[in-house]
Amino acid sequence: MTPDILCLGEPMLEFNQQPDGNYLPGHGGDTSNCAIAAARQGASVGYVTHIGADTFGNSFMDLWQAEGVDVSTVRQVADAHTGVYFVTHGANGHEFSYFRAGSASSRMGPDDLPVAALEAAKLLHVSGISQAISDIAADSVFAAIKIVKQAGGLISYDTNLRLKLWPIERARAVTHAAMAQCDIALPGLDDAEQLTGLSDPNAITDFYLDLGAKIVALTLGAEGTLVATPDKRERVKGRRVEAVDATAAGDTFDGAFLARIVEGDDPFTAARYANAAAALSTQGYGAVAPMPRKNAVEAFLSEGD
């Protein structure tokens, strides 16, 4: 049976700097993080990608299977490697260094897509990074979006702007074109300011609604999330915690939000849940390890604001 949610993109092995200066190995990649976060909330999730037939690729297969993420649409290839990145922490927050050129994921083309699985999915989640890693990857995302939409499924898109991967002009053109085809827009405020040229959160949500999104959830960091539909908008408060590492907080939000949407929540209720999940994810180091499970999120919510 095809999972309800399919996430498409590039997984990357992570090395995250610890307070003693050493690096803790882990797993990252925005849409992979999203898939795991959704699975930890009880959603039915699968991943679509190519990874290397190498030690790092094997570790991802083990991880996804342990987390309950379906891997039937993952292909390991012998002629390309799995991507790697490092996270360092300093006065300006966390910084990323990537080693992904020529990775297996960046070489996955439209002809490699699992058409039957995409046609059967309720929702496809992709991101700006899914498209920024190569021209053929951008084409693959557009092709996947077309397949899912023609089959009646929903599209979710997180801007996740990385200007180390492409110039702002191309990022704007590609992400706006993709957002025009999405149902659920998940931009972050910093990304959206650069992509739209706007600074007011309400104007940004209007921009994405005008492109065609039915739901916009604009994340505002500790200030919460501005959620908008064509008929209603509401700023959903964030949850305060003692944060140590926000590496995958946005991805955790995405996964938790989509899990609740597929379960039937309205977007405002889903955002309240996702804000709590994202806050909890900042209390440990690394992308995956600190992601909370459903029982932890529910317990946190029961404590009140």
Side-chain angles (χ1 to χ4, degrees):
M1 178 180 294
T2 298
D4 291 338
I5 301 171
L6 285 178
C7 299
L8 185 156
E10 181 181 37
M12 301 187 75
L13 200 78
E14 172 191 88
F15 291 93
N16 199 302
Q17 187 182 39
Q18 303 299 287
D20 63 4
N22 291 319
Y23 286 84
L24 178 70
H27 299 87
D30 63 337
T31 55
S32 174
N33 296 339
C34 174
I36 294 168
R40 288 191 179 183
Q41 313 318 309
S44 168
V45 190
Y47 202 61
V48 179
T49 195
H50 284 186
I51 53 176
D54 50 30
T55 299
F56 294 164
N58 293 340
S59 72
F60 269 105
M61 294 296 283
D62 292 341
L63 170 71
W64 291 323
Q65 291 175 35
E67 294 289 346
V69 175
D70 186 275
V71 296
S72 61
T73 52
V74 175
R75 179 183 168 197
Q76 288 190 269
V77 299
D79 61 347
H81 66 279
T82 305
V84 176
Y85 73 99
F86 291 79
V87 185
T88 55
H89 303 274
N92 296 321
H94 55 285
E95 298 182 4
F96 298 86
S97 299
Y98 298 98
F99 299 88
R100 72 195 330 158
S103 70
S105 301
S106 71
R107 294 165 58 178
M108 185 178 74
D111 292 341
D112 298 314
L113 293 172
V115 176
L118 289 166
E119 289 176 335
K122 291 183 179 178
L123 186 150
L124 171 68
H125 176 71
V126 290
S127 77
I129 295 176
S130 302
Q131 296 194 285
I133 55 177
S134 69
D135 290 346
I136 197 171
D139 293 342
S140 295
V141 169
F142 282 124
I145 288 172
K146 182 177 180 180
I147 292 166
V148 173
K149 286 185 70 69
Q150 287 182 340
L154 300 175
I155 307 300
S156 165
Y157 195 100
D158 187 325
T159 48
N160 257 352
L161 179 65
R162 298 290 185 271
L163 292 178
K164 290 182 179 180
L165 293 175
W166 54 0
I168 187 64
E169 293 80 11
R170 176 162 171 76
R172 284 173 178 152
V174 173
T175 59
H176 291 352
M179 279 288 201
Q181 301 177 61
C182 81
D183 301 280
I184 302 170
L186 299 171
L189 181 59
D190 290 344
D191 290 356
E193 288 178 339
Q194 295 181 78
L195 288 166
T196 67
L198 303 169
S199 58
D200 176 63
N202 281 296
I204 290 169
T205 56
D206 287 340
F207 179 91
Y208 288 114
L209 287 172
D210 289 343
L211 280 181
K214 300 176 181 67
I215 298 169
V216 179
L218 176 66
T219 51
L220 308 171
E223 299 306 311
T225 306
L226 179 60
V227 182
T229 68
D231 302 316
K232 179 182 177 181
R233 72 182 58 201
E234 178 184 335
R235 183 171 293 212
V236 181
K237 290 196 302 182
R239 298 296 298 260
R240 301 289 179 176
V241 296
E242 292 295 326
V244 297
D245 180 13
T247 297
D251 304 331
T252 301
F253 177 94
D254 290 354
F257 185 83
L258 297 176
R260 296 314 309 164
I261 289 292
V262 168
E263 190 65 21
D265 282 0
D266 66 71
F268 307 97
T269 303
R272 181 172 179 267
Y273 182 98
N275 281 348
L280 289 173
S281 76
T282 68
Q283 295 185 294
Y285 287 97
V288 171
M291 287 180 180
R293 299 187 184 275
K294 185 177 182 180
N295 59 347
V297 181
E298 291 177 338
F300 188 39
L301 286 168
S302 71
E303 298 173 4
D305 294 331

